[in-house]
Every structure is written in C-alpha cells, then in structure tokens.
C-alpha cells in the first residue's frame, strides 16, 4: 500500500512513523487511520523491527484529534461502525508485540490523545498539550479515551478532564502519569530510540508476553493473573530463558534469539 499521510523512517530496526498532515495539525481522517492499520498489521510479525516511534509532522502538533471536517456526515449507524473500526486499530497498537512509543511533539487532543494512550509509553516535549475536547462537539471520546485515561491517571482526574474538556500541559501530564518523560522537542526521537534500543537487548518472547500480561490486567477474560501464569510458562520454555540464565552465571551478555 502506498501511504499518502504517513512517513516511515527505519533506523536499524527502530521505525519512526510520522503522521504527515501538518496543514490540518495531523488530524486523523479515515485515510490516515486506514494507513495506520495497514502499517501495524503488516509489521506485527516482522522480526527485524525493534519498536515503533509514533509522532506528528512539524513542531506544533502531534495529532489535533479526529478530522472534524469528516464529522458532518456521521450518524448513529456510521458513528458506531467508525468507533468499532477505530477500536480495532487502537487495540492493534496496544497489543503490538514490540514497544510502541508516542513521541508527543505538540497538541495531542481527542483522537490524538487517545492514540498516544494506546501506545505503550509517551514521551512529550515541553510544548505538548493533552486533552479530550469531545464534549465541546457534543460527543464523547470514540477511540477508547474514556477507558485508557482512567487506566493511566485514575478515575477522579480522568472524569474531570473528560467533562471539562480542559487541556493540560506536559508538566501536568508528567505529574499525573499520563507521560513517562518530558524532553526537549529535538530530543524526542533520540530519547524514544534509546528506550527501544534497551528493550531490544531483552528476550523478544518475554517482551511480547509483558505486553500481553499488562493488557490482561484490564480485561476480564482472561484474568490478568491467569494470563501471567500461562505467559510465564511460555517464557520458561524458551531457549532464550536458558541463555539468559546461563549468561548471568557465566558473567557475560545474553545472546537472545527470539525463541
Ligand atoms: N480536524 C480538522 N482540521 C483541524 C483539526 C481537526 N481536529 N484541528 C485543527 N485543524 C485545522 C484547522 O481547521 C486549520 O485549518 P485551516 O483553517 O488552516 O484550513 C489548521 O488545522 C490549523 O488550525 P488552527 O488555525 O485552529 O490552529 P491554532 O493554533 O489557532 O489552534 C488548536 C490549534 C489545536 C487549539 C485548534 O486547531 C483546535 O482547537 N483544533 C481542534 C481540536 C479538537 O477539537 N479536536 C477534535 C477533538 S474530537 C469517533 C471516534 C473518535 C473521535 C470522534 C468520533 N467515532 C468513532 C465516530 C474523536 C474525536 C475528536 O478527536
């Protein structure tokens, strides 16, 4: 698939995926969502990939929300259909077996904040602004925002931000636990890359299982503890586990193979 709204840069297996609609502050239209879906579906099983950094083009905005210009034709049926499709895409990112980091370089509003929250971690620049302004438009978040915001910052603060549509800055987002780190804008990709490079030195099956188990905490089925028991057994049966233990005992660096 030819992408019209995504830029892809591969630096030794660390992919920077840039949403490239700067004139619309990188708002998510359906075309962009379809391209994101295609990208994640087609890289899920690529063992050469160490992780993904998701960012927005330009210095002003990560993603300023869903594309409001596409809203006018929405009704109950198409809105429900669009929400289902959106949830499928955001779950694909949340469940991606390699680290996915949002490098938030400006506005992360509505669907943009939701997309950042579906990533495994968020690194923000000082000019980043987060918010769920949907109630200003007479709707509610449609891409998982009501759930993931509570998961990340707790019920009390989440309900305030969802009801008031207030924007918060990077410092406040850090204090609330919505972002992992705040770094200068020109250091966003470097900081994200360093985290991915660290994770890439670990056993791939163990990393994929961490993603599975952390997500299972929030699911009723399977229960998170049961998921951890099964996942632990799976990692205990890998050659990488033997290698990791042997490397520790032999005082050398482990050479993981991903199996
Ligand atoms: N959609 C489309 N265009 C947008 C946009 C957006 N969300 N945000 C900005 N733009 C466009 C502006 O229209 C403007 O285009 P031109 O007029 O130059 O053609 C250009 O980007 C620059 O924006 P501004 O001139 O407004 O720039 P400012 O610096 O003055 O203001 C701002 C920046 C971010 C404060 C402002 O642009 C703004 O308030 N933007 C809208 C923020 C917002 O309300 N976002 C939408 C949140 S609601 C659903 C699932 C999910 C969702 C909806 C449905 N279903 C499953 C059905 C999600 C909804 C949302 O995300």
């Amino acid at each position: 698939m030819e992408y019209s709204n995504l830029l892809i840069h591969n630096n030794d297996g660390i992919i920077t995926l840039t949403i490239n609609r700067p004139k619309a502050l990188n708002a998510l239209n359906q075309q962009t969502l379809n391209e994101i879906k295609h990208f994640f579906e087609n890289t899920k099983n690529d063992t050469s990939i160490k992780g993904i950094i998701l960012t927005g083009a330009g210095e002003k905005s990560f993603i300023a929300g869903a594309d409001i210009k596409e809203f006018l034709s929405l009704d109950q049926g198409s809105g429900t259909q669009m929400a289902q499709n959106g949830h499928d895409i955001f779950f694909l990112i949340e469940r991606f077996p390699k680290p996915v980091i949002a490098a938030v370089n400006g506005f992360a509003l509505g669907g943009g904040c939701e997309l950042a929250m579906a990533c495994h971690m968020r690194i923000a620049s000082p000019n980043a602004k987060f918010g769920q302004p949907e109630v200003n438009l007479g709707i509610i978040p449609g891409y998982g925002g009501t759930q993931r915001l509570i998961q990340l910052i707790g019920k009390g603060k989440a309900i305030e931000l969802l009801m008031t549509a207030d924007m918060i800055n990077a410092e406040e987002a850090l204090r609330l636990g919505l972002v992992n780190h705040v770094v200068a804008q020109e250091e966003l990709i470097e900081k994200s890359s360093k985290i991915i490079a660290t994770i890439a030195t670990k056993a791939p099956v163990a990393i994929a299982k961490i993603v599975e188990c952390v997500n299972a905490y929030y699911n009723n089925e399977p229960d998170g503890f049961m998921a951890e028991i099964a996942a632990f057994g799976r990692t205990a049966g890998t050659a990488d586990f033997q290698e990791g233990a042997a490397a520790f005992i032999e005082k050398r660096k482990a050479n993981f193979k991903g199996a």
Side-chain angles (χ1 to χ4, degrees):
M1 182 183 192
E2 281 264 311
Y3 297 135
S4 20
N5 300 331
L6 299 183
L7 300 175
I8 296 170
H9 178 252
N10 186 340
N11 181 17
D12 190 26
I14 300 177
I15 308 281
T16 302
L17 184 67
T18 305
I19 313 296
N20 188 32
R21 299 186 72 220
K23 285 187 185 144
L25 301 186
N26 305 317
L28 291 175
N29 59 1
Q30 282 308 303
Q31 171 70 22
T32 307
L33 280 169
N34 289 338
E35 292 182 8
I36 293 173
K37 181 178 187 184
H38 183 271
F39 171 82
F40 278 95
E41 272 175 347
N42 283 277
T43 49
K44 200 167 62 175
N45 298 318
D46 184 338
T47 52
S48 73
I49 289 177
K50 294 175 179 159
I52 313 290
I53 301 168
L54 188 59
T55 194
E59 293 175 359
K60 182 172 172 180
S61 181
F62 173 67
I63 296 167
D67 192 321
I68 298 172
K69 290 166 190 164
E70 287 186 346
F71 279 10
L72 297 177
S73 57
L74 270 186
D75 57 22
Q76 187 167 350
S78 58
T80 307
Q81 177 59 43
M82 199 174 138
Q84 183 60 59
N85 186 42
H87 275 74
D88 292 346
I89 299 169
F90 286 36
F91 278 133
L92 191 61
I93 296 172
E94 188 168 56
R95 295 170 184 167
F96 201 70
K98 301 285 169 63
V100 184
I101 298 182
V104 183
N105 56 313
F107 291 112
L109 303 176
C113 187
E114 291 175 292
L115 188 56
M117 291 194 292
C119 295
H120 300 143
M121 292 171 231
R122 286 144 294 283
I123 316 292
S125 53
N127 67 325
K129 293 246 166 26
F130 297 83
Q132 297 289 161
E134 284 84 352
V135 290
N136 289 337
L137 299 165
I139 49 173
I140 66 162
Y143 294 142
T146 62
Q147 305 304 298
R148 293 193 180 97
L149 194 58
I150 298 168
Q151 292 170 2
L152 285 164
I153 70 172
K155 182 178 172 185
K157 200 65 197 175
I159 208 163
E160 179 187 340
L161 294 182
L162 291 163
M163 284 180 163
T164 60
D166 281 350
M167 274 191 224
I168 57 169
N169 63 22
E171 200 183 312
E172 175 75 342
L174 182 66
R175 198 181 64 76
L176 291 172
L178 183 55
V179 303
N180 298 65
H181 302 276
V182 177
V183 299
Q185 190 164 72
E186 57 277 15
E187 289 166 22
L188 273 178
I189 302 301
E190 191 189 333
K191 175 73 181 172
S192 308
S193 299
K194 268 192 186 152
I195 295 174
I196 292 176
T198 299
I199 296 169
T201 65
K202 319 298 179 197
V205 176
I207 296 301
K209 290 296 172 188
I210 292 283
V211 172
E212 228 175 88
C213 289
V214 169
N215 288 332
Y217 175 83
Y218 298 101
N219 296 337
N220 295 325
E221 274 305 320
D223 167 276
F225 290 101
M226 295 308 291
E228 187 182 285
I229 291 168
F232 181 84
R234 169 74 180 86
T235 55
T238 60
D240 274 354
F241 173 52
Q242 297 296 322
E243 166 63 8
F248 174 78
I249 292 162
E250 292 159 21
K251 298 189 188 301
R252 62 175 172 81
K253 219 169 154 218
N255 179 17
F256 292 125
K257 299 271 196 273

